[in-house]
Amino acid sequence: MTLGQRTRTGLLHLTFEERRGKTVLTRDLQKAPLMIIRPFELPCGTLMVFVVNPTGGVLGGDHSEIVAEVGAGAQTLILTQSATRLQPSPSGAVATQHIRFTVAAGGRLEYYPERTLPFAGSAFHQTVRADLEDGAELGLSETLSSGRVHMGERLAFAEYRSRVEVWRGGERLYLDQVKVEPGQHTRAPGIWSEWDYAASGVWVGSGEVSDWPALPGQLACGYTAGGAVWLRAAAARGPELDRALSTAREGLRAQLFGARPLQIRR
């Protein structure tokens, strides 16, 4: 095996539980290149952890597995420290990532990673599955860039796939599948068009949404048939999308979870 063919498997298994009114991390299994920075308790009582990949990014053939279990009464926020950089894959090998969440009744898990940035020639497949008990709460979003735009790499990656599912009590509440293989069709007007950043998200909670976040032509959301809240957004610039997504997210959290705003410390 040559150096260019070597692959890495990163593992991260986390368990969060409620102890004496506080959320604590009771299980922490890490295998490089995945690791976490020590947990921080936010002013709202949520326990926050940053997922870190200290290498230069995700290489072709790499595999990552993230598993998080949240017990009754625990409130957890999982973030990534920086963008997920998908490096070129000269051999054509696909990098993969599998994420699995389970949330008990009365627990809350939120997962808001930084954007995924596919370099020219990269290939990436991801699956995300969340299994919720009745009364569990979930918030999840992901952001995709069209590439390293300022380096002239717009839609120059080989392939990007993502499949996100949310289940509760044997019923699927949400399914989102994205497959992008840049070519003449993705460069046509109306598909990506002038937009270089896209976001999607899903939230499940016990509250009702009456004040829907919306930006005509840029951001919309609504209910799925199963009762989850979906979100879609797009923008020409990353900071513009980040601001719109943050505002929408806090509005949905307040209505669905009755939650105070997240005051994230970086």
Side-chain angles (χ1 to χ4, degrees):
M1 177 180 289
T2 66
L3 179 62
Q5 293 174 317
R6 290 180 183 173
T7 61
R8 303 169 298 183
T9 298
L11 300 175
L12 188 59
H13 291 198
L14 307 173
T15 300
F16 301 89
E17 297 180 349
E18 186 270 331
R19 299 280 177 85
R20 297 180 181 179
K22 291 184 176 293
T23 300
V24 296
L25 177 63
T26 59
R27 181 174 185 256
D28 174 9
L29 173 63
Q30 306 179 39
K31 179 179 181 296
L34 287 181
M35 59 185 66
I36 64 167
I37 299 177
R38 68 177 181 85
F40 297 88
E41 184 177 358
L42 300 181
C44 61
T46 295
L47 191 69
M48 177 187 70
V49 296
F50 282 107
V51 177
V52 178
N53 183 337
T55 66
V58 179
L59 306 179
D62 282 1
H63 176 70
S64 298
E65 179 180 316
I66 299 175
V67 177
E69 302 173 0
V70 178
Q75 297 182 2
T76 303
L77 171 65
I78 300 176
L79 305 174
T80 56
Q81 188 181 42
S82 61
T84 299
R85 294 171 173 82
L86 306 179
Q87 298 286 348
S89 178
S91 69
V94 176
T96 57
Q97 177 168 264
H98 298 321
I99 300 175
R100 182 70 180 266
F101 298 138
T102 59
V103 189
R108 180 193 303 159
L109 171 62
E110 297 180 79
Y111 176 63
Y112 305 130
E114 296 295 310
R115 75 178 98 264
T116 298
L117 182 61
F119 288 27
S122 63
F124 181 71
H125 293 177
Q126 171 183 256
T127 62
V128 182
R129 174 163 174 152
D131 289 280
L132 313 178
E133 292 184 354
D134 289 339
E137 297 177 336
L138 174 75
L140 186 156
S141 65
E142 56 180 352
T143 307
L144 175 66
S145 168
S146 65
R148 295 192 296 176
V149 180
H150 300 295
M151 301 287 290
E153 291 185 359
R154 186 177 195 267
L155 294 172
F157 54 92
E159 183 181 15
Y160 174 87
R161 295 188 190 184
S162 179
R163 178 185 175 95
V164 181
E165 297 181 74
V166 179
W167 291 77
R168 183 176 61 194
E171 176 188 7
R172 188 166 63 192
L173 306 183
Y174 175 85
L175 170 63
D176 180 41
Q177 296 192 91
V178 176
K179 179 181 178 180
V180 184
E181 294 180 348
Q184 62 177 4
H185 298 298
T186 49
R187 292 183 174 87
I191 303 177
W192 284 89
S193 188
E194 72 272 24
W195 310 121
D196 281 311
Y197 300 90
S200 61
V202 58
W203 286 262
V204 178
S206 57
E208 295 290 334
V209 179
S210 57
D211 183 12
W212 290 97
L215 289 172
Q218 285 189 274
L219 184 147
C221 53
Y223 279 117
T224 69
V229 173
W230 59 266
L231 178 145
R232 292 288 184 277
R237 299 178 63 252
E240 180 183 351
L241 181 63
D242 293 342
R243 287 191 296 269
L245 182 59
S246 177
T247 299
R249 182 171 59 211
E250 289 301 338
L252 293 173
R253 295 180 69 255
Q255 295 177 82
L256 290 169
F257 305 155
R260 294 157 53 192
L262 292 171
Q263 298 178 28
I264 299 171
R265 297 178 292 177
R266 290 186 176 272

